[in-house]
Amino acid sequence: MIKYEQFELENGLKVIVHEDKSTSFITFNLLYNVGSKNEHPSKTGYAHLMEHLMFSGSRTAPNYDKPIDNAGGESNAFTNVDVTNYYITLPKDNIEVAFWLESDRMNNLNVSQNSLDIQKKVVVEEFKETTINKPYGKVWHELSKLAYKEHSYQWPTIGKVPEHIEKATLEDIQNFYKKYYSPNNAFLVLSGNINIDKTKELTEKWFKSIPRSKLSRLQSPKEPIQKESRRKVIQCDAPLNALYIGFQMGGRDDKNFYTTDLISDILGNGKSSRLYRNLVKEKEIFININAYITGTIDNGLLIIEGKIQKEISIAEAEALIWEEINTIKSELISDRELQKIKNSIESTFIFSETSILNKAMNLAYFAALGKPELINDETELYQKITSSDIKKVANQIFARENSIILEIESKL
Amino acid sequence: MPVIPKINKITNIKSPSYKYKVLSNNVPIYIIHDDTLPIVKLEVIFSGGRVSEKKRSTSRITAGMMNESTQSTSAKKIDETIDFYGGRMGISSNMDTMTASLFCLKKHFKSLISLFGEIISQPKFDSKELQTYIKNQKQRLQLSLEENDIIAYREMTANVFGKKHVYGYNSTFEDYDAIESKDLQSYFQNNFVKENCFVVASGNIGDDEFKLIDSVLCDTLLSDANFQKPIYSPVNFIQPEEIFIEKKNSVQTAIRIGLKTFTKTHSDYPAFYFLNTVLGGYFGARLMQNIREQKGYTYNVFSSLNTMIYDGFFSIGCEVGNEHKNATIKEIFFEIDKLKAELVSEQEMELVQNFLMGEILKWTDGVYHSADMIKHLVIQEQPISYFETFVEDLQKVSAKDLQGMAQKYFKKGAFHTVIVGK
């Protein structure tokens, strides 16, 4: 059980505090409710480029990193399709440094043409390092395009192409910053050795004077329901063939979200999962195989992915995955297997409590969904799922016409 | 605008606290207890790793195969049991050690520890399973050999320590083909014995948990009264050179620049550790500021100092757009030369000092970090008080010491350079 308290400033900043006295550190986690799904289709990669530029310094902190290093802290950030999340972990006596730096860069960021030019280059190198120069690096671009025809999830967070990032102007970035980087679009979580009173005092001191913005969020178009199976074959400079099968599923507020997640665990989470046990160990079809959900706020995907053994054809590998899918659609799972998945969810939740950073990130994310209580309630939602729920949802999700299939043929 | 907050110095760094005991079979155990969460972590650390190999790659494959069937339980049943209780269990290998670990909820500890005992004492090394394992490992190796940074890392260790040295060799397809079940069995029998291990138990370790650990490890751990530590053969000097491996389809080139250093017990270790941080050990480090933040040539550039029980190495690494390859190498040597020519400013000394104290405070924050710290110190055969000595030594490092280190080790021609790409 993770205990927390919450309050809101007049300017709309929502704040959550989770006190954990077993550590001498505090994580300061600030989430902005903006991700790559809020980008214009011809200007992609901006949310992530913005994240880089947030480290360029601000009015009273010309260098963002030095005060954190001096305070013995550590900071970083990530961007995904839905949100941008910044975090600093530092010794408790220096927590005010985080309040200073984060409030200043929420309101008074310095972005010069020079820092923009440099970060554009850095991000293009990141694009190359993670996407172009990696054997299976193109997969997410292809899968996203295949799965989403209208919705802005059709491009990955890094952007559609490096050229979008190269073309970003200072004005573009300033507009993006003004629009989304404001207290009424942010969720602050303090997790660690700090109490509610101290948090209130410091939050008011540093964030109270920052004005609200008029949020005119760029909304992603809705994705129409997929009517028939989609398939694409691509060639890659990779030594092994690979197969990705995706199934359209609901978003975070869909009633079947947690059941679908459990289904992905049954199939592909851990060495005793069905796909791993049967297709990696027993039949030796794949080198590795995984099943997971993308877990996005809007409609997401359940993905099954694996790299295929040399002598096995992609078609044979695919047929065997469908066999496993048919089993989960036609047979009720045993009590023991269901209990196994639930036990694993319980353990994972308790293990995550060992890290104040994990707790802070999760609380901020659930707060952004408007349901911070999910941090504790989620495990109960999983515990309630029955074997017949699983069979029913498996039959809804695992329809051929609901699938996208990406075959990767080795060119080597 | 409120007044910019004053930064407080970190002064409360203390060695991790623990209890030392000896199990009924004389095996030492370090207990780091904390009852905040209902979690238990048990590790049994066996010395040796690669150093005690008689044949290349046996330590890694022995570890891998100990995660398969035992003499009485199939791998399928083992995997299912671990997952059923939501635990994490397995054997991993390292340059100097092999570690068996179990991490689970307190309520499931009793259900899993007997299986843990079985895994560390009765591996089967089934030849059919071995064949499958090797086939998979070879294909995984083939995957990783498509990545320039991995190739560069492999070349670097091979060049610093020697292609045949235990710390330098890289696993090859031929090594995998040459392994037989009897090699693994003999590696296992020589190393997985109570005379060659210690235990670290952390988390919610009450009396019941301790009794369970004692009884299971006494019942299962094998013994070898004639056990002798392996003999380590030191590295022969290798003339540094520049190696270029062409990969025609690359859009980025991986660069590694490094040299052989020393162990943690060397008197230069604290100052060199500090020097590494200044050059490339954190985001604000000189390499990152110059090559990423001022020039935009790379997403990430770093330097690191790796120490094993008997030796160590220092290396700088990055992946850059092909067109920035030569300019990046020039800048790396520019930063190296600057450390030799100029004293680090007082301001930068203080900043790195403060950053390091924050890092070190983290090493002992919480039971699991503390347990890791203790584990590393025992592996390195250092007293736990080494931790506080190290902190004191770091605080004494001066700008002059750093310049001395740079001049002593960063000599012209001292660096091995590996470039993989185009």
Side-chain angles (χ1 to χ4, degrees):
Chain A
M1 177 79 179
I2 295 170
K3 287 187 187 143
Y4 61 89
E5 290 182 76
Q6 46 188 331
F7 62 94
E8 187 175 336
L9 296 189
E10 270 172 32
N11 59 15
L13 179 69
K14 293 182 182 65
V15 189
I16 291 184
V17 194
H18 161 66
E19 187 175 3
D20 177 352
K21 288 190 191 148
S22 72
T23 166
S24 45
F25 284 86
I26 301 168
T27 294
F28 180 108
N29 187 95
L30 190 57
L31 179 148
Y32 290 95
N33 200 355
V34 58
S36 57
K37 74 172 173 206
N38 304 108
E39 293 163 351
H40 189 274
S42 65
K43 293 182 172 189
T44 65
Y46 279 36
H48 171 248
L49 177 61
M50 185 72 238
E51 175 213 310
H52 275 246
L53 288 162
M54 284 292 280
F55 292 86
S56 301
S58 54
R59 192 190 293 159
T60 61
N63 183 309
Y64 174 84
D65 295 297
K66 279 187 181 164
I68 295 176
D69 293 336
N70 256 322
E74 218 173 6
S75 87
N76 211 333
F78 67 81
T79 311
N80 64 30
V81 290
D82 294 319
V83 300
T84 312
N85 192 57
Y86 299 84
Y87 50 94
I88 312 175
T89 297
L90 67 189
K92 68 176 169 50
D93 293 343
N94 285 328
I95 186 61
E96 194 166 358
V97 173
F99 280 90
W100 160 45
L101 293 170
E102 291 298 337
S103 60
D104 205 36
R105 73 175 177 174
M106 180 188 279
N107 203 27
N108 304 308
L109 185 71
N110 282 339
V111 186
S112 64
Q113 189 61 48
N114 182 49
S115 53
L116 174 61
D117 290 343
I118 286 170
Q119 289 309 316
K120 278 158 60 171
K121 284 194 200 167
V122 170
V123 171
V124 169
E125 291 301 328
E126 184 180 356
F127 203 125
K128 291 180 194 165
E129 194 171 317
T130 56
T131 306
I132 304 171
N133 216 36
K134 280 276 176 288
Y136 302 92
K138 284 183 228 149
V139 162
W140 278 100
H141 280 83
E142 296 293 346
L143 273 178
S144 311
K145 262 194 296 191
L146 209 51
Y148 299 101
K149 299 300 167 193
E150 297 296 329
H151 195 284
S152 307
Y153 289 164
Q154 67 187 272
W155 57 86
T157 304
I158 190 79
K160 270 184 198 170
V161 284
E163 289 71 28
H164 282 189
I165 296 149
E166 281 160 354
K167 281 188 199 147
T169 66
L170 201 53
E171 200 192 342
D172 287 332
I173 289 301
Q174 274 155 351
N175 288 338
F176 195 92
Y177 175 67
K178 268 186 217 143
K179 207 174 194 177
Y180 297 110
Y181 282 70
S182 60
N184 47 320
N185 195 40
F187 298 85
L188 171 62
V189 176
L190 274 295
S191 153
N193 203 326
I194 189 165
N195 61 27
I196 180 89
D197 295 339
K198 177 99 178 160
T199 306
K200 271 190 180 154
E201 176 204 323
L202 289 173
T203 311
E204 284 186 7
K205 178 172 170 188
W206 291 96
F207 283 91
K208 203 178 166 181
S209 65
I210 303 176
R212 266 174 194 273
S213 73
K214 249 196 272 160
L215 263 178
S216 54
R217 186 183 293 284
L218 184 60
Q219 298 286 4
S220 166
K222 270 205 130 169
E223 183 65 23
I225 291 169
Q226 181 177 323
K227 298 262 171 58
E228 57 188 14
S229 178
R230 298 170 186 161
R231 182 182 295 266
K232 188 165 182 186
V233 182
I234 60 167
Q235 257 117 36
C236 256
D237 277 325
L240 298 175
N241 291 336
L243 178 65
Y244 289 75
I245 306 183
F247 293 92
Q248 303 278 359
M249 63 173 278
R252 279 270 166 186
D253 58 2
D254 186 272
K255 63 180 191 324
N256 293 331
F257 181 86
Y258 294 104
T259 311
T260 311
D261 191 23
L262 267 194
I263 291 172
S264 75
D265 284 347
I266 294 166
L267 288 175
N269 185 11
K271 281 167 85 181
S272 74
S273 64
R274 293 180 177 193
L275 292 170
Y276 190 87
R277 170 49 44 200
N278 296 336
L279 303 188
V280 175
K281 301 284 272 192
E282 313 252 312
K283 296 190 178 131
E284 299 180 25
I285 305 297
F286 288 88
I287 296 293
N288 58 34
I289 196 160
N290 275 305
Y292 54 89
I293 61 168
T294 53
T296 48
I297 294 179
D298 296 342
N299 285 3
L301 298 167
L302 182 154
I303 305 240
I304 297 171
E305 59 158 273
K307 303 214 164 61
I308 303 167
Q309 296 262 13
K310 272 245 142 87
E311 65 275 21
I312 308 289
S313 74
I314 299 182
E316 186 184 345
E318 187 187 333
L320 287 163
I321 290 181
W322 283 104
E323 250 180 47
E324 290 298 331
I325 286 173
N326 287 335
T327 309
I328 204 169
K329 283 165 75 173
S330 57
E331 293 168 23
L332 279 179
I333 88 160
S334 70
D335 290 348
R336 170 132 181 139
E337 192 177 5
L338 184 59
Q339 194 55 49
K340 178 188 82 175
I341 303 294
K342 290 181 177 178
N343 286 349
S344 151
I345 283 168
E346 184 194 15
S347 295
T348 307
F349 174 72
I350 297 174
F351 294 164
S352 81
E353 288 188 62
T354 57
S355 154
I356 50 171
L357 176 60
N358 262 333
K359 289 186 278 191
M361 282 181 179
N362 290 338
L363 274 167
Y365 180 72
F366 290 127
L369 293 180
K371 295 175 187 165
E373 65 278 8
L374 277 176
I375 189 118
N376 294 310
D377 294 355
E378 261 199 338
T379 44
E380 278 162 46
L381 293 171
Y382 283 110
Q383 298 304 328
K384 278 188 203 147
I385 295 167
T386 65
S387 52
S388 53
D389 292 337
I390 287 168
K391 191 174 162 192
K392 198 178 103 203
V393 173
N395 276 283
Q396 289 169 19
I397 300 275
F398 292 136
R400 289 267 174 182
E401 62 272 18
N402 197 33
S403 67
I404 56 163
I405 297 161
L406 180 64
E407 297 178 28
I408 295 170
E409 289 178 357
S410 163
K411 263 201 301 192
L412 299 178
Chain B
M1 174 75 206
V3 182
I4 290 171
K6 168 177 135 301
I7 288 169
N8 298 299
K9 289 254 180 222
I10 297 168
T11 50
N12 53 340
I13 299 181
K14 295 220 169 60
S15 289
S17 47
Y18 63 97
K19 247 194 231 158
Y20 177 84
K21 286 187 181 179
V22 176
L23 298 178
S24 313
N25 60 355
N26 286 328
V27 170
I29 178 167
Y30 297 81
I31 300 168
I32 305 95
H33 171 73
D34 176 68
D35 54 16
T36 315
L37 290 169
I39 302 174
V40 172
K41 186 173 183 184
L42 173 66
E43 289 175 288
V44 184
I45 297 101
F46 299 88
S47 297
R50 272 194 183 194
V51 176
S52 56
E53 282 179 351
K54 296 208 169 68
K55 197 167 173 180
R56 284 159 62 122
S57 297
T58 37
S59 61
R60 177 197 288 211
I61 299 174
T62 301
M65 286 298 295
M66 286 176 74
N67 294 317
E68 301 287 332
S69 298
T70 66
Q71 287 164 31
S72 40
T73 314
S74 70
K76 179 177 178 175
K77 179 73 190 151
I78 292 171
D79 294 342
E80 199 273 342
T81 308
I82 298 169
D83 285 352
F84 183 78
Y85 293 108
R88 315 270 149 91
M89 192 196 294
I91 317 276
S92 62
S93 73
N94 212 314
M95 289 289 175
D96 297 310
T97 56
M98 310 277 278
T99 301
S101 62
L102 166 61
F103 186 56
C104 65
L105 295 185
K106 188 180 168 100
K107 65 180 177 184
H108 298 313
F109 187 58
K110 198 175 173 187
S111 307
L112 285 173
I113 190 171
S114 51
L115 188 59
F116 179 81
E118 193 179 316
I119 284 175
I120 60 172
S121 61
Q122 306 172 35
K124 189 171 179 195
F125 302 124
D126 178 80
S127 54
K128 165 84 181 34
E129 281 182 352
L130 178 61
Q131 251 179 0
T132 308
Y133 181 81
I134 299 275
K135 188 171 84 173
N136 272 349
Q137 287 303 309
K138 281 164 67 183
Q139 295 189 62
R140 281 169 197 261
L141 176 60
Q142 204 182 358
L143 283 177
S144 57
L145 291 180
E146 288 304 313
E147 304 201 18
N148 292 350
D149 56 330
I150 295 179
I151 300 171
Y153 182 80
R154 286 166 60 98
E155 284 298 317
M156 179 54 64
T157 55
N159 282 282
V160 167
F161 295 112
K163 290 179 172 54
K164 293 190 172 157
H165 191 269
V166 284
Y167 288 157
Y169 81 78
N170 288 300
S171 304
T172 62
F173 298 107
E174 292 74 31
D175 290 349
Y176 284 132
D177 286 333
I179 294 285
E180 297 173 68
S181 289
K182 65 175 178 12
D183 301 322
L184 307 180
Q185 187 61 40
S186 109
Y187 183 89
F188 167 75
Q189 279 168 353
N190 292 332
N191 291 280
F192 283 78
V193 292
K194 71 183 175 72
E195 291 77 10
N196 187 36
C197 72
F198 66 95
V199 180
V200 178
S202 51
N204 208 325
I205 308 286
D207 287 346
D208 291 349
E209 284 71 30
F210 180 78
K211 278 182 200 147
L212 272 171
I213 294 169
D214 190 48
S215 82
V216 170
L217 293 185
C218 287
D219 286 350
T220 54
L221 275 174
L222 307 180
S223 171
D224 177 0
N226 300 318
F227 173 78
Q228 281 184 333
K229 283 188 102 179
I231 295 158
Y232 171 82
S233 330
V235 176
N236 296 317
F237 175 76
I238 297 164
Q239 186 64 45
E241 51 179 351
E242 185 177 313
I243 293 164
F244 175 61
I245 297 171
E246 191 173 14
K247 293 279 169 185
K248 286 212 170 84
N249 295 325
S250 299
V251 294
Q252 276 190 324
T253 296
I255 300 169
R256 281 267 173 182
I257 294 175
L259 47 84
K260 195 176 88 66
T261 50
F262 34 69
T263 67
K264 279 196 169 73
T265 54
H266 195 285
S267 57
D268 286 342
Y269 183 74
F272 199 97
Y273 185 90
F274 201 119
L275 181 71
N276 170 60
T277 311
V278 171
L279 180 62
Y282 69 116
F283 189 87
R286 291 182 172 193
L287 290 171
M288 196 70 164
Q289 290 306 310
N290 176 348
I291 296 167
R292 172 176 148 143
E293 292 298 295
Q294 281 166 33
K295 311 252 172 19
Y297 294 160
T298 186
Y299 174 51
N300 185 22
V301 54
F302 61 89
S303 69
S304 60
L305 181 57
N306 298 287
T307 48
M308 287 78 91
I309 294 185
Y310 302 102
D311 216 324
F313 81 107
F314 161 81
S315 81
I316 295 165
C318 61
E319 290 176 87
V320 299
N322 295 331
E323 67 277 22
H324 303 309
K325 176 180 72 186
N326 292 328
T328 302
I329 296 171
K330 201 180 127 214
E331 291 306 326
I332 291 173
F333 281 104
F334 170 81
E335 292 298 344
I336 287 172
D337 290 338
K338 199 169 146 194
L339 286 168
K340 287 154 70 176
E342 294 171 22
L343 285 176
V344 174
S345 73
E346 231 171 88
Q347 221 184 1
E348 190 177 352
M349 287 300 292
E350 197 189 331
L351 180 123
V352 173
Q353 186 87 254
N354 292 340
F355 168 79
L356 284 174
M357 291 307 125
E359 279 290 294
I360 292 171
L361 188 63
K362 239 170 275 165
W363 293 348
T364 53
D365 192 58
V367 269
Y368 305 105
H369 289 147
S370 295
D372 277 345
M373 193 69 233
I374 288 168
K375 188 174 78 183
H376 287 298
L377 291 174
V378 178
I379 290 170
Q380 305 261 353
E381 298 174 1
Q382 293 301 310
I384 309 301
S385 61
Y386 171 92
F387 185 78
E388 274 166 39
T389 318
F390 181 58
V391 172
E392 282 163 26
D393 287 346
L394 276 182
Q395 282 166 337
K396 275 186 248 158
V397 172
S398 69
K400 230 170 155 46
D401 295 335
L402 294 186
Q403 189 180 32
M405 280 299 113
Q407 288 169 349
K408 182 171 172 187
Y409 292 100
F410 296 167
K411 289 207 174 85
K412 220 178 162 48
F415 288 96
H416 300 264
T417 303
V418 182
I419 299 162
V420 184
K422 205 166 111 180

